[in-house]
Each structure stands twice: as C-alpha cells, then as structure tokens.
Amino acid sequence: MSKIDEYDKTLLEILCKKACKFYKPDQEEKEEDFRCGAYLVIKKMLKQGEISKQELQEIYQNIPKKETNKK
C-alpha cells in the first residue's frame, strides 16, 4: 500500500474524489500506486509552494461542470 501524506490527502479531497472520472472509492488504500501523471505534477507544485491549497480549491470550483442530458 502507498503511504498517504498530507499532500496526498489534500489532492484526494480537493481534486481526485470530486473531479477525476478515473478515481474509484478508496483506490488509494487498495492500490500500490494510484497516482496519475497530473497528480504527481500537482503534488510536486503543492510541495514546492508553487500552488496553494486555496488555489487548488479555486481551480476546482471553476472547472466547467458537464450537464447531464435529461430525457
């Protein structure tokens, strides 16, 4: 199992669980490496202070939401 640090927790809560269509519930507990390339890039930026937790939340809030087709 992967070791989950504070940066992983932040990304999982703000982005993966809410916005990633590939995320499966509790994936981080079941898989050795659940992280995609984008995840790794964003995590590095977060660790280096190039992006803040607040900025991630703002980015997520501004992602256009897909409308569902109602029939």
Side-chain angles (χ1 to χ4, degrees), residues 65-71:
K65 307 297 186 255
K66 290 185 180 180
E67 291 186 33
T68 57
N69 292 334
K70 295 181 181 179
K71 293 182 180 183

Side-chain angles (χ1 to χ4, degrees), residues 9-52:
K9 289 178 184 175
T10 296
L11 289 170
L12 287 164
E13 290 303 316
I14 294 174
L15 297 177
C16 299
K17 291 180 180 181
K18 295 178 181 175
C20 182
K21 67 180 180 178
F22 302 109
Y23 178 80
K24 295 174 185 71
D26 301 318
Q27 184 175 10
E28 67 279 6
E29 295 175 11
K30 298 174 186 170
E31 297 181 21
E32 180 63 30
D33 193 4
F34 60 92
R35 299 161 289 213
C36 68
Y39 181 102
L40 296 172
V41 170
I42 295 169
K43 182 176 177 180
K44 183 174 181 178
M45 291 176 68
L46 189 61
K47 287 176 89 170
Q48 293 178 342
E50 296 173 6
I51 194 167
S52 70

